[in-house]
Amino acid sequence: NKLRVIASSGPLQSVMSTYADTAIGRTIEHALGIPMNPNRAPDYKGIELKSSRLRKNKNRDNLFGQIPDWSISKMNSMKDILDAFGYMSTVNGDHRKRLNVTVSTTNTNPQGLYLDVDQRNDLLNECSTNNHYGAFASWRLSYLHSRLHTKHNETFWISANTSFDQNGKELFHLTDVEHTRRPLTSQFDLLLSQGDITLDHGMKLLDIGVVKERGPFFKMKKSVRGLLLPNP
């Protein structure tokens, strides 16, 4: 009901001064009176809010972020991964080492990275075609199932059209919301194996020598949402 009231009141002006992927989520949470949520808990009364701009190239949902389990991984940190597979890149005049890639079970990306599902050993491995590295980062599948269940036991998937006002501020026009409950964790491994769930790195080396990683994020094709989250 709150979302309906907000939507009927016209477009929301972004609360962020510059364009950012997170602007829509922060703007909608601000309109709902929800403080910023830096932890892993769902956003509002046990409900996770996932907001996205309606655009043709936005065909994946962000499920959750989770670093590897270093206790069972060959590498020990995100910096090890960036050192091994990163590349120099200039973004908006900022030249530094980065690793902004998608990793999948069904193909090998330009950095030679791919995912491998090892259900027998309860593992998801991130691997390199370079035999020196092999399977260099690992997650317990059972822990990823737990993260999925905790994060998306109940979720509102909010969509909005966007435009800009005369001052260049982004505006969000809320269009629809899909309500899901109780993910089928048994489907998670299958969707990983089919390449419908992938892993995104968003990494860069800061001037102080440490690595900033936005994820890694597990993302799902919107077209299979109903398989993981039935009866929306």
Side-chain angles (χ1 to χ4, degrees), residues 13-14 16-19 163-171:
Q13 187 180 74
S14 175
M16 300 184 70
S17 57
T18 58
Y19 181 91
S163 61
F164 293 88
D165 66 17
Q166 59 185 5
N167 297 316
K169 290 281 285 187
E170 191 172 17
L171 303 173

mmCIF file with all atom_site columns, all heavy atoms in Angstrom, residues 13-14 16-19 163-171:
data_model
loop_
_atom_site.group_PDB
_atom_site.id
_atom_site.type_symbol
_atom_site.label_atom_id
_atom_site.label_alt_id
_atom_site.label_comp_id
_atom_site.label_asym_id
_atom_site.label_entity_id
_atom_site.label_seq_id
_atom_site.pdbx_PDB_ins_code
_atom_site.Cartn_x
_atom_site.Cartn_y
_atom_site.Cartn_z
_atom_site.occupancy
_atom_site.B_iso_or_equiv
_atom_site.pdbx_formal_charge
_atom_site.auth_seq_id
_atom_site.auth_comp_id
_atom_site.auth_asym_id
_atom_site.auth_atom_id
_atom_site.pdbx_PDB_model_num
ATOM 1   N N   . GLN A 1 13  ? 12.479 11.919 -7.100  1.00 0.00 ? 13  GLN A N   1
ATOM 2   C CA  . GLN A 1 13  ? 13.773 12.469 -7.477  1.00 0.00 ? 13  GLN A CA  1
ATOM 3   C C   . GLN A 1 13  ? 14.864 11.716 -6.735  1.00 0.00 ? 13  GLN A C   1
ATOM 4   O O   . GLN A 1 13  ? 14.767 11.441 -5.536  1.00 0.00 ? 13  GLN A O   1
ATOM 5   C CB  . GLN A 1 13  ? 13.860 13.956 -7.135  1.00 0.00 ? 13  GLN A CB  1
ATOM 6   C CG  . GLN A 1 13  ? 15.128 14.621 -7.658  1.00 0.00 ? 13  GLN A CG  1
ATOM 7   C CD  . GLN A 1 13  ? 15.188 16.091 -7.309  1.00 0.00 ? 13  GLN A CD  1
ATOM 8   O OE1 . GLN A 1 13  ? 15.431 16.444 -6.152  1.00 0.00 ? 13  GLN A OE1 1
ATOM 9   N NE2 . GLN A 1 13  ? 14.955 16.956 -8.295  1.00 0.00 ? 13  GLN A NE2 1
ATOM 10  N N   . SER A 1 14  ? 15.922 11.343 -7.440  1.00 0.00 ? 14  SER A N   1
ATOM 11  C CA  . SER A 1 14  ? 17.016 10.594 -6.837  1.00 0.00 ? 14  SER A CA  1
ATOM 12  C C   . SER A 1 14  ? 17.588 11.328 -5.626  1.00 0.00 ? 14  SER A C   1
ATOM 13  O O   . SER A 1 14  ? 17.745 12.550 -5.640  1.00 0.00 ? 14  SER A O   1
ATOM 14  C CB  . SER A 1 14  ? 18.133 10.368 -7.867  1.00 0.00 ? 14  SER A CB  1
ATOM 15  O OG  . SER A 1 14  ? 19.250 9.745  -7.263  1.00 0.00 ? 14  SER A OG  1
ATOM 16  N N   . MET A 1 16  ? 20.569 10.763 -4.664  1.00 0.00 ? 16  MET A N   1
ATOM 17  C CA  . MET A 1 16  ? 22.013 10.820 -4.881  1.00 0.00 ? 16  MET A CA  1
ATOM 18  C C   . MET A 1 16  ? 22.339 11.919 -5.882  1.00 0.00 ? 16  MET A C   1
ATOM 19  O O   . MET A 1 16  ? 21.585 12.162 -6.830  1.00 0.00 ? 16  MET A O   1
ATOM 20  C CB  . MET A 1 16  ? 22.535 9.462  -5.351  1.00 0.00 ? 16  MET A CB  1
ATOM 21  C CG  . MET A 1 16  ? 22.278 8.352  -4.334  1.00 0.00 ? 16  MET A CG  1
ATOM 22  S SD  . MET A 1 16  ? 22.979 6.745  -4.804  1.00 0.00 ? 16  MET A SD  1
ATOM 23  C CE  . MET A 1 16  ? 24.733 7.070  -4.623  1.00 0.00 ? 16  MET A CE  1
ATOM 24  N N   . SER A 1 17  ? 23.466 12.558 -5.675  1.00 0.00 ? 17  SER A N   1
ATOM 25  C CA  . SER A 1 17  ? 23.831 13.713 -6.500  1.00 0.00 ? 17  SER A CA  1
ATOM 26  C C   . SER A 1 17  ? 24.320 13.303 -7.882  1.00 0.00 ? 17  SER A C   1
ATOM 27  O O   . SER A 1 17  ? 24.276 14.096 -8.823  1.00 0.00 ? 17  SER A O   1
ATOM 28  C CB  . SER A 1 17  ? 24.918 14.535 -5.797  1.00 0.00 ? 17  SER A CB  1
ATOM 29  O OG  . SER A 1 17  ? 26.058 13.733 -5.522  1.00 0.00 ? 17  SER A OG  1
ATOM 30  N N   . THR A 1 18  ? 24.790 12.060 -8.020  1.00 0.00 ? 18  THR A N   1
ATOM 31  C CA  . THR A 1 18  ? 25.277 11.575 -9.306  1.00 0.00 ? 18  THR A CA  1
ATOM 32  C C   . THR A 1 18  ? 24.577 10.271 -9.659  1.00 0.00 ? 18  THR A C   1
ATOM 33  O O   . THR A 1 18  ? 23.976 9.616  -8.803  1.00 0.00 ? 18  THR A O   1
ATOM 34  C CB  . THR A 1 18  ? 26.797 11.334 -9.263  1.00 0.00 ? 18  THR A CB  1
ATOM 35  O OG1 . THR A 1 18  ? 27.101 10.388 -8.233  1.00 0.00 ? 18  THR A OG1 1
ATOM 36  C CG2 . THR A 1 18  ? 27.545 12.630 -8.980  1.00 0.00 ? 18  THR A CG2 1
ATOM 37  N N   . TYR A 1 19  ? 24.664 9.907  -10.939 1.00 0.00 ? 19  TYR A N   1
ATOM 38  C CA  . TYR A 1 19  ? 24.060 8.650  -11.384 1.00 0.00 ? 19  TYR A CA  1
ATOM 39  C C   . TYR A 1 19  ? 24.810 7.482  -10.744 1.00 0.00 ? 19  TYR A C   1
ATOM 40  O O   . TYR A 1 19  ? 26.040 7.443  -10.745 1.00 0.00 ? 19  TYR A O   1
ATOM 41  C CB  . TYR A 1 19  ? 24.126 8.544  -12.897 1.00 0.00 ? 19  TYR A CB  1
ATOM 42  C CG  . TYR A 1 19  ? 23.498 7.280  -13.440 1.00 0.00 ? 19  TYR A CG  1
ATOM 43  C CD1 . TYR A 1 19  ? 22.157 7.247  -13.794 1.00 0.00 ? 19  TYR A CD1 1
ATOM 44  C CD2 . TYR A 1 19  ? 24.245 6.115  -13.575 1.00 0.00 ? 19  TYR A CD2 1
ATOM 45  C CE1 . TYR A 1 19  ? 21.570 6.089  -14.283 1.00 0.00 ? 19  TYR A CE1 1
ATOM 46  C CE2 . TYR A 1 19  ? 23.674 4.958  -14.056 1.00 0.00 ? 19  TYR A CE2 1
ATOM 47  C CZ  . TYR A 1 19  ? 22.340 4.949  -14.409 1.00 0.00 ? 19  TYR A CZ  1
ATOM 48  O OH  . TYR A 1 19  ? 21.765 3.799  -14.880 1.00 0.00 ? 19  TYR A OH  1
ATOM 49  N N   . SER A 1 163 ? 13.741 8.922  -15.949 1.00 0.00 ? 163 SER A N   1
ATOM 50  C CA  . SER A 1 163 ? 13.901 10.095 -16.809 1.00 0.00 ? 163 SER A CA  1
ATOM 51  C C   . SER A 1 163 ? 14.767 11.086 -16.035 1.00 0.00 ? 163 SER A C   1
ATOM 52  O O   . SER A 1 163 ? 15.247 10.771 -14.935 1.00 0.00 ? 163 SER A O   1
ATOM 53  C CB  . SER A 1 163 ? 12.539 10.707 -17.155 1.00 0.00 ? 163 SER A CB  1
ATOM 54  O OG  . SER A 1 163 ? 11.859 11.138 -15.972 1.00 0.00 ? 163 SER A OG  1
ATOM 55  N N   . PHE A 1 164 ? 14.965 12.264 -16.594 1.00 0.00 ? 164 PHE A N   1
ATOM 56  C CA  . PHE A 1 164 ? 15.791 13.277 -15.932 1.00 0.00 ? 164 PHE A CA  1
ATOM 57  C C   . PHE A 1 164 ? 15.060 14.611 -15.964 1.00 0.00 ? 164 PHE A C   1
ATOM 58  O O   . PHE A 1 164 ? 14.394 14.945 -16.953 1.00 0.00 ? 164 PHE A O   1
ATOM 59  C CB  . PHE A 1 164 ? 17.159 13.402 -16.620 1.00 0.00 ? 164 PHE A CB  1
ATOM 60  C CG  . PHE A 1 164 ? 18.018 12.189 -16.457 1.00 0.00 ? 164 PHE A CG  1
ATOM 61  C CD1 . PHE A 1 164 ? 17.930 11.129 -17.350 1.00 0.00 ? 164 PHE A CD1 1
ATOM 62  C CD2 . PHE A 1 164 ? 18.905 12.086 -15.398 1.00 0.00 ? 164 PHE A CD2 1
ATOM 63  C CE1 . PHE A 1 164 ? 18.713 10.006 -17.200 1.00 0.00 ? 164 PHE A CE1 1
ATOM 64  C CE2 . PHE A 1 164 ? 19.697 10.967 -15.234 1.00 0.00 ? 164 PHE A CE2 1
ATOM 65  C CZ  . PHE A 1 164 ? 19.598 9.915  -16.136 1.00 0.00 ? 164 PHE A CZ  1
ATOM 66  N N   . ASP A 1 165 ? 15.176 15.363 -14.866 1.00 0.00 ? 165 ASP A N   1
ATOM 67  C CA  . ASP A 1 165 ? 14.545 16.681 -14.838 1.00 0.00 ? 165 ASP A CA  1
ATOM 68  C C   . ASP A 1 165 ? 15.456 17.708 -15.505 1.00 0.00 ? 165 ASP A C   1
ATOM 69  O O   . ASP A 1 165 ? 16.540 17.375 -16.012 1.00 0.00 ? 165 ASP A O   1
ATOM 70  C CB  . ASP A 1 165 ? 14.177 17.086 -13.403 1.00 0.00 ? 165 ASP A CB  1
ATOM 71  C CG  . ASP A 1 165 ? 15.390 17.294 -12.493 1.00 0.00 ? 165 ASP A CG  1
ATOM 72  O OD1 . ASP A 1 165 ? 16.523 17.447 -13.010 1.00 0.00 ? 165 ASP A OD1 1
ATOM 73  O OD2 . ASP A 1 165 ? 15.207 17.311 -11.266 1.00 0.00 ? 165 ASP A OD2 1
ATOM 74  N N   . GLN A 1 166 ? 15.014 18.955 -15.533 1.00 0.00 ? 166 GLN A N   1
ATOM 75  C CA  . GLN A 1 166 ? 15.759 19.996 -16.245 1.00 0.00 ? 166 GLN A CA  1
ATOM 76  C C   . GLN A 1 166 ? 17.117 20.286 -15.616 1.00 0.00 ? 166 GLN A C   1
ATOM 77  O O   . GLN A 1 166 ? 17.987 20.881 -16.250 1.00 0.00 ? 166 GLN A O   1
ATOM 78  C CB  . GLN A 1 166 ? 14.928 21.280 -16.291 1.00 0.00 ? 166 GLN A CB  1
ATOM 79  C CG  . GLN A 1 166 ? 14.562 21.835 -14.922 1.00 0.00 ? 166 GLN A CG  1
ATOM 80  C CD  . GLN A 1 166 ? 13.642 23.038 -15.026 1.00 0.00 ? 166 GLN A CD  1
ATOM 81  O OE1 . GLN A 1 166 ? 13.212 23.406 -16.109 1.00 0.00 ? 166 GLN A OE1 1
ATOM 82  N NE2 . GLN A 1 166 ? 13.329 23.650 -13.896 1.00 0.00 ? 166 GLN A NE2 1
ATOM 83  N N   . ASN A 1 167 ? 17.304 19.850 -14.370 1.00 0.00 ? 167 ASN A N   1
ATOM 84  C CA  . ASN A 1 167 ? 18.589 20.051 -13.695 1.00 0.00 ? 167 ASN A CA  1
ATOM 85  C C   . ASN A 1 167 ? 19.488 18.830 -13.801 1.00 0.00 ? 167 ASN A C   1
ATOM 86  O O   . ASN A 1 167 ? 20.561 18.788 -13.196 1.00 0.00 ? 167 ASN A O   1
ATOM 87  C CB  . ASN A 1 167 ? 18.355 20.396 -12.227 1.00 0.00 ? 167 ASN A CB  1
ATOM 88  C CG  . ASN A 1 167 ? 17.604 21.703 -12.053 1.00 0.00 ? 167 ASN A CG  1
ATOM 89  O OD1 . ASN A 1 167 ? 17.906 22.693 -12.719 1.00 0.00 ? 167 ASN A OD1 1
ATOM 90  N ND2 . ASN A 1 167 ? 16.621 21.707 -11.155 1.00 0.00 ? 167 ASN A ND2 1
ATOM 91  N N   . GLY A 1 168 ? 19.032 17.834 -14.553 1.00 0.00 ? 168 GLY A N   1
ATOM 92  C CA  . GLY A 1 168 ? 19.840 16.642 -14.733 1.00 0.00 ? 168 GLY A CA  1
ATOM 93  C C   . GLY A 1 168 ? 19.718 15.606 -13.640 1.00 0.00 ? 168 GLY A C   1
ATOM 94  O O   . GLY A 1 168 ? 20.466 14.627 -13.629 1.00 0.00 ? 168 GLY A O   1
ATOM 95  N N   . LYS A 1 169 ? 18.771 15.797 -12.717 1.00 0.00 ? 169 LYS A N   1
ATOM 96  C CA  . LYS A 1 169 ? 18.559 14.828 -11.648 1.00 0.00 ? 169 LYS A CA  1
ATOM 97  C C   . LYS A 1 169 ? 17.694 13.683 -12.163 1.00 0.00 ? 169 LYS A C   1
ATOM 98  O O   . LYS A 1 169 ? 16.695 13.894 -12.857 1.00 0.00 ? 169 LYS A O   1
ATOM 99  C CB  . LYS A 1 169 ? 17.864 15.488 -10.454 1.00 0.00 ? 169 LYS A CB  1
ATOM 100 C CG  . LYS A 1 169 ? 18.730 16.474 -9.710  1.00 0.00 ? 169 LYS A CG  1
ATOM 101 C CD  . LYS A 1 169 ? 19.723 15.786 -8.773  1.00 0.00 ? 169 LYS A CD  1
ATOM 102 C CE  . LYS A 1 169 ? 19.036 15.248 -7.539  1.00 0.00 ? 169 LYS A CE  1
ATOM 103 N NZ  . LYS A 1 169 ? 20.006 14.722 -6.554  1.00 0.00 ? 169 LYS A NZ  1
ATOM 104 N N   . GLU A 1 170 ? 18.084 12.460 -11.801 1.00 0.00 ? 170 GLU A N   1
ATOM 105 C CA  . GLU A 1 170 ? 17.331 11.296 -12.261 1.00 0.00 ? 170 GLU A CA  1
ATOM 106 C C   . GLU A 1 170 ? 16.004 11.194 -11.516 1.00 0.00 ? 170 GLU A C   1
ATOM 107 O O   . GLU A 1 170 ? 15.919 11.442 -10.304 1.00 0.00 ? 170 GLU A O   1
ATOM 108 C CB  . GLU A 1 170 ? 18.153 10.026 -12.049 1.00 0.00 ? 170 GLU A CB  1
ATOM 109 C CG  . GLU A 1 170 ? 17.552 8.812  -12.743 1.00 0.00 ? 170 GLU A CG  1
ATOM 110 C CD  . GLU A 1 170 ? 18.452 7.595  -12.702 1.00 0.00 ? 170 GLU A CD  1
ATOM 111 O OE1 . GLU A 1 170 ? 19.389 7.572  -11.877 1.00 0.00 ? 170 GLU A OE1 1
ATOM 112 O OE2 . GLU A 1 170 ? 18.213 6.663  -13.489 1.00 0.00 ? 170 GLU A OE2 1
ATOM 113 N N   . LEU A 1 171 ? 14.960 10.807 -12.254 1.00 0.00 ? 171 LEU A N   1
ATOM 114 C CA  . LEU A 1 171 ? 13.624 10.619 -11.694 1.00 0.00 ? 171 LEU A CA  1
ATOM 115 C C   . LEU A 1 171 ? 13.211 9.167  -11.871 1.00 0.00 ? 171 LEU A C   1
ATOM 116 O O   . LEU A 1 171 ? 13.457 8.562  -12.919 1.00 0.00 ? 171 LEU A O   1
ATOM 117 C CB  . LEU A 1 171 ? 12.613 11.531 -12.386 1.00 0.00 ? 171 LEU A CB  1
ATOM 118 C CG  . LEU A 1 171 ? 12.891 13.035 -12.370 1.00 0.00 ? 171 LEU A CG  1
ATOM 119 C CD1 . LEU A 1 171 ? 11.874 13.769 -13.239 1.00 0.00 ? 171 LEU A CD1 1
ATOM 120 C CD2 . LEU A 1 171 ? 12.861 13.566 -10.943 1.00 0.00 ? 171 LEU A CD2 1
#
